[in-house]
Amino acid sequence: FTLQDLSRTPFLKRAELTQNIAASKLFLAMEQKQSNLIWSADLESGADILRVLKLIAPHIVAIKLHFDAIDITLDMPTLLSVCQLNNILVISDRK
């Protein structure tokens, strides 16, 4: 495949072609939402992350978190629940 071929390939077809489970889930979310937006949640407050996530959840396909930079007040069960309900992948990124 060339880059031009891939750019013309629908997200659903890309999900079928890949053998990577995470990539397949991402392409399926992109197809469902007709979006490729990933939010880089560079906020330190767990409450702020959840507040913003709940507002933008219908429009994003993934959230990228710096777990080592977030305070311990982040309610992980709530974050994961919001992500699951809205078909959002969680990407862990280290600083």
Side-chain angles (χ1 to χ4, degrees), residues 14-46:
R14 293 184 204 187
E16 294 170 2
L17 290 173
T18 185
Q19 295 192 7
N20 182 297
I21 294 169
S24 179
K25 288 181 179 182
L26 182 61
F27 286 133
L28 290 173
M30 292 165 72
E31 174 67 25
Q32 175 196 16
K33 295 183 177 191
Q34 288 299 295
S35 172
N36 63 357
L37 296 175
I38 297 174
W39 178 42
S40 181
D42 291 332
L43 302 171
E44 292 179 11
S45 164

Side-chain angles (χ1 to χ4, degrees), residues 61-65 67 76 79-80 83 88-92:
V61 296
I63 178 173
K64 184 177 70 128
L65 292 166
F67 285 103
M76 285 303 294
L79 177 118
L80 294 175
C83 289
I88 297 171
L89 275 73
V90 179
I91 301 168
S92 176

Side-chain angles (χ1 to χ4, degrees), residues 43-49 66-75:
L43 302 171
E44 292 179 11
S45 164
D48 287 343
I49 290 171
H66 296 280
F67 285 103
D68 51 347
I70 299 170
D71 69 22
I72 59 171
T73 65
L74 178 61
D75 181 355

Side-chain angles (χ1 to χ4, degrees), residues 4 8-9 11 32 35 54 63 74 84:
Q4 189 173 23
R8 293 181 186 157
T9 305
F11 296 137
Q32 175 196 16
S35 172
K54 289 175 183 178
I63 178 173
L74 178 61
Q84 185 175 23

